[in-house]
Amino acid sequence: MSSATDLYQQIILEHSRRPLHFGTLPDATHVCSADNPLCGDSFRVVLRVDGSIICEAAFEGAGCAISKASASLMCDAIIGQSTDDFEQRFRHFQATVTSAVDAPPLDHMGPLAAFSGLARFPARIKCAMLCWNAARSALNPYPSATDPVI
Amino acid sequence: MNRFIDNLRRQFPCLGIPVNGQRLAWLDTASTALKPDCVIDAIADYYRCCPANVHRGIHRLSEMATARYEASRQSVRKFINATSTDEIVFTSGTTESINIVAGSAGQHWLQAGDDVLISELEHHANIVPWQFLRDRLGIRLRSIPMDRQGDITPDALRQQLSPRTRLVALTAVSNAIGTELPLSELIPIAHAAGAKVLIDAAQAAACVPLDVQALDCDFLAFSGHKLFGPTGIGVLYGKAAWLDEMPPFKGGGDMIKSVTLEHTEFNDLPYKFEAGSPNIAGAIGLGRAIEFVNEIGFEAIMHHENRLTKTALQALSSIRGVTLVGTPTQRRNIISFTLDGVHPHDAGTLLDEDGVAIRAGHHCAQPLMQRFGLPGTIRASFSIYNNDEDIEQLVRSINRIIRIFE
Ligand SMILES: Cc1ncc(COP(=O)(O)O)c(C=O)c1O
């Protein structure tokens, strides 16, 4: 994938227009807001975690197509996963959107692979990571100093 | 005119370099202007021929550097029609200029309970320094609301003035929506109320002639980089009487006459405000940029920019899905708009793919965006080196984006 037009594939546009898991959870156990003051994007990510399993995930707020689609796809990808799985997916997604070379879309990334190619748009990486970072801080409010932060 | 513009365009090397394989349509002059060869050469020439410090060498190269540096100050003086070069302080830019006034004049003239008045159109550079002062001194910071079109009217100013208003700080042209404020009406009203007036001319400097004596403003700030000059250089104009009274802002070399370990005798104007080795190349580049503007002349600049802005306004307003943000009575070279269902940043990324450089976001004017209820806008701004092709490229790209998001 190379061009900006490629980036705005149907899947990203679809999820930005009609995001999945958009809203809140009455019995959320974890909450974190995600703001990018630079562009005014502002979301709230909520999770219901039972033991080590993320049973439900949702988000609400407003932002660009990239941030919204990323949040929608993230929620969809992490529901039913363990918090350890989340961490793995987080790292994988982060590597995908930040690697300078076009990372080959990996099978188990599923629809999240739509974001490979984002690395060519450094100004937009923050958008894609916004809700991922929020979900991660919700799960782990005191990350160790060595954790990479985008 | 077309030949004239083509000729000018050739003097901007950046316009000859494709972006994403496309011809570059630089519609982001309000953020920073492109630099012509003559400015780049003047800077390179200083570094090649006389890269010495100013005001402190008795050798030939320092004399040369000093002569060029001070010639630039003279160019700036003429450019804004100040009475004396004593009134021209070189700074790092508009932001520093306003901070100097807030930090020095503020400290000197203002006390708790006094009012500083800004407008709702201000850039963060003309908001945050006053908030610092509010927190430090307990002054009140008030703002003049704009009307629905995005204008600041004399009546709106009158309504916000109080007997405690000591300073009114206004932009000359809004960087976010293009409003040109009616300064020749506003400034006398502020003065009649006993307030001093600071003008943020960051946007105005490259698109309207400035005459500080005719305006009778007390302070005026602008940046070199929006005026075809380099970054890191700017100007603070202040009436000599005020600059004389004000304490220096920064301490160091060059701003002193004599120093003992206990006491410092400050230097004369304008050096009192220029502590440390200055941005010599920047000042020289700015001087050359001003000459460049003088060679073209504001008549031609305004004629061309008005025409382009009008053409773009017409073209944009005829696209379904485009909403103009702000419809000021007197607009300069800036148009802000939104695209239905498309976030400005998504539009920015796709415009960039088509070689169109615009600014997407809040334009460092968040209070203004909040008033419009928007996270941001798409902003196109026009300069002497833009042409109809740039506007066509913009319109084509916007239509393409609308199709993608349909
Ligand atoms: C109206 C206005 N004021 C102040 C500034 C700040 O200028 P600088 O960043 O050069 O200090 C800008 C620049 O964007 C501006 O447009």
Side-chain angles (χ1 to χ4, degrees):
Chain A
M1 192 181 326
S2 53
S3 74
T5 309
D6 292 339
L7 182 64
Y8 288 90
Q9 308 167 54
Q10 229 31 56
I11 184 156
I12 289 188
L13 291 178
E14 250 329 286
H15 279 263
S16 73
R17 271 197 216 107
R18 279 176 287 276
L20 305 173
H21 315 290
F22 194 74
T24 187
L25 299 173
D27 47 358
T29 53
H30 294 69
V31 179
C32 186
S33 48
D35 295 296
N36 185 349
L38 268 181
C39 54
D41 287 5
S42 178
F43 293 99
R44 207 171 80 105
V45 176
V46 289
L47 308 171
R48 185 168 67 78
V49 180
D50 190 359
S52 66
I53 301 296
I54 301 169
C55 303
E56 286 181 274
F59 77 105
E60 59 187 352
C64 64
I66 302 290
S67 60
K68 222 165 164 183
S70 169
S72 169
L73 285 161
M74 172 191 78
C75 290
D76 212 45
I78 64 174
I79 292 172
Q81 306 276 324
S82 74
T83 50
D84 283 350
D85 287 341
F86 171 85
E87 186 59 26
Q88 263 201 330
R89 278 175 181 265
F90 176 95
R91 285 174 192 267
H92 195 98
F93 185 70
Q94 189 180 46
T96 305
V97 299
T98 53
S99 74
V101 288
D102 285 356
L106 292 170
D107 284 349
H108 72 279
M109 288 286 292
L112 285 172
F115 291 92
S116 63
L118 195 75
R120 302 202 26 168
F121 305 94
R124 309 305 304 279
I125 292 170
K126 264 205 164 110
C127 311
M129 291 306 299
L130 194 60
C131 284
W132 281 91
N133 281 323
R136 193 185 198 211
S137 332
L139 290 169
N140 179 18
Y142 309 106
S144 72
T146 53
D147 279 349
V149 172
I150 286 279
Chain B
M1 195 72 186
N2 276 351
R3 279 247 311 278
F4 178 66
I5 299 300
D6 285 347
N7 235 329
L8 267 177
R9 286 175 61 82
R10 278 194 284 277
Q11 298 176 41
F12 289 83
C14 188
L15 288 175
I17 305 169
V19 168
N20 295 326
Q22 309 286 323
R23 109 186 241 290
L24 171 65
W26 184 257
L27 300 178
D28 199 19
T29 295
S31 181
T32 199
L34 301 180
K35 322 303 174 199
D37 281 322
C38 62
V39 167
I40 299 168
D41 292 345
I43 296 167
D45 197 58
Y46 158 74
Y47 282 122
R48 286 215 182 86
C49 304
C50 53
N53 215 329
V54 291
H55 305 143
R56 50 187 86 175
I58 44 167
H59 48 68
R60 181 75 192 121
L61 294 195
S62 177
E63 281 165 12
M64 282 166 72
T66 305
R68 291 181 192 193
Y69 183 70
E70 291 304 329
S72 285
R73 198 189 306 274
Q74 190 59 252
S75 300
V76 172
R77 183 200 68 72
K78 281 196 210 125
F79 184 65
I80 59 171
N81 194 32
T83 33
S84 149
T85 48
D86 290 357
E87 301 179 313
I88 307 299
V89 178
F90 282 125
T91 66
S92 68
T94 307
T95 303
E96 189 183 30
S97 299
I98 297 174
N99 274 279
I100 291 175
V101 177
S104 164
Q107 198 93 316
H108 183 61
W109 284 314
L110 301 180
Q111 39 188 302
D114 285 344
D115 282 357
V116 167
L117 193 52
I118 58 177
S119 87
E120 226 169 19
L121 294 177
E122 301 310 314
H123 186 281
H124 295 165
N126 199 24
I127 302 175
V128 182
W130 308 113
Q131 290 176 343
F132 283 2
L133 208 58
R134 177 196 61 197
D135 299 344
R136 217 168 58 224
L137 297 184
I139 59 155
R140 292 198 307 173
L141 178 58
R142 308 181 56 186
S143 108
I144 311 167
M146 62 171 183
D147 66 13
R148 211 174 303 142
Q149 288 178 274
D151 283 329
I152 300 292
T153 63
D155 274 344
L157 166 61
R158 277 193 204 96
Q159 275 170 23
Q160 296 301 320
L161 284 167
S162 80
R164 303 280 320 244
T165 309
R166 298 277 179 265
L167 191 108
V168 179
L170 297 173
T171 190
V173 170
S174 156
N175 67 306
I177 59 171
T179 310
E180 181 180 6
L181 275 68
L183 292 182
S184 54
E185 290 175 71
L186 299 177
I187 293 172
I189 296 171
H191 278 159
K196 294 188 173 65
V197 178
L198 175 144
I199 299 302
D200 171 353
Q203 287 301 328
C207 61
V208 287
L210 294 168
D211 182 334
V212 291
Q213 293 187 64
L215 284 173
D216 195 30
C217 54
D218 300 280
F219 300 99
L220 181 131
F222 64 94
S223 301
H225 69 97
K226 296 193 201 271
L227 188 61
F228 314 110
T231 52
I233 187 77
V235 170
L236 170 63
Y237 157 83
K239 285 182 179 167
W242 305 148
L243 292 179
D244 240 353
E245 250 185 70
M246 284 159 51
F249 183 62
K250 295 188 287 191
D254 234 31
M255 54 78 70
I256 50 90
K257 263 188 185 144
S258 68
V259 178
T260 64
L261 284 178
E262 290 77 34
H263 180 74
T264 293
E265 197 71 31
F266 300 132
N267 205 341
D268 299 328
L269 291 179
Y271 310 110
K272 183 171 96 177
F273 291 100
E274 292 180 4
S277 298
N279 181 354
I280 304 166
I284 291 169
L286 171 58
R288 187 63 188 91
I290 286 175
E291 276 173 53
F292 173 78
V293 169
N294 290 339
E295 285 156 16
I296 305 168
F298 272 109
E299 202 181 324
I301 292 176
M302 290 171 74
H303 175 81
H304 182 67
E305 291 180 3
N306 286 345
R307 192 186 67 75
L308 282 181
T309 308
K310 211 167 123 198
T311 308
L313 268 176
Q314 273 166 0
L316 288 169
S317 21
S318 67
I319 302 175
R320 263 188 59 198
V322 168
T323 308
L324 296 179
V325 178
T327 48
T329 309
Q330 180 63 56
R331 181 195 290 276
R332 280 295 144 211
N333 56 334
I334 292 170
I335 302 175
S336 242
F337 60 97
T338 56
L339 273 182
D340 280 358
V342 187
H343 189 282
H345 277 193
D346 295 318
T349 295
L350 288 158
L351 281 157
D352 175 61
E353 183 177 34
D354 294 336
V356 182
I358 48 84
R359 174 100 186 256
H362 55 55
H363 319 299
C364 299
Q366 278 181 310
L368 177 61
M369 294 295 127
Q370 285 151 14
R371 241 320 271 290
F372 281 115
L374 296 167
T377 69
I378 302 162
R379 179 189 72 185
S381 49
F382 308 94
S383 182
I384 190 72
Y385 41 65
N386 291 118
N387 59 17
D388 290 321
E389 250 180 291
D390 293 332
I391 297 175
E392 285 155 23
Q393 201 170 330
L394 169 72
V395 168
R396 253 197 324 274
S397 182
I398 285 175
N399 280 319
R400 186 175 80 90
I401 294 167
I402 290 173
R403 281 197 302 277
I404 291 177
F405 276 78
E406 220 152 42

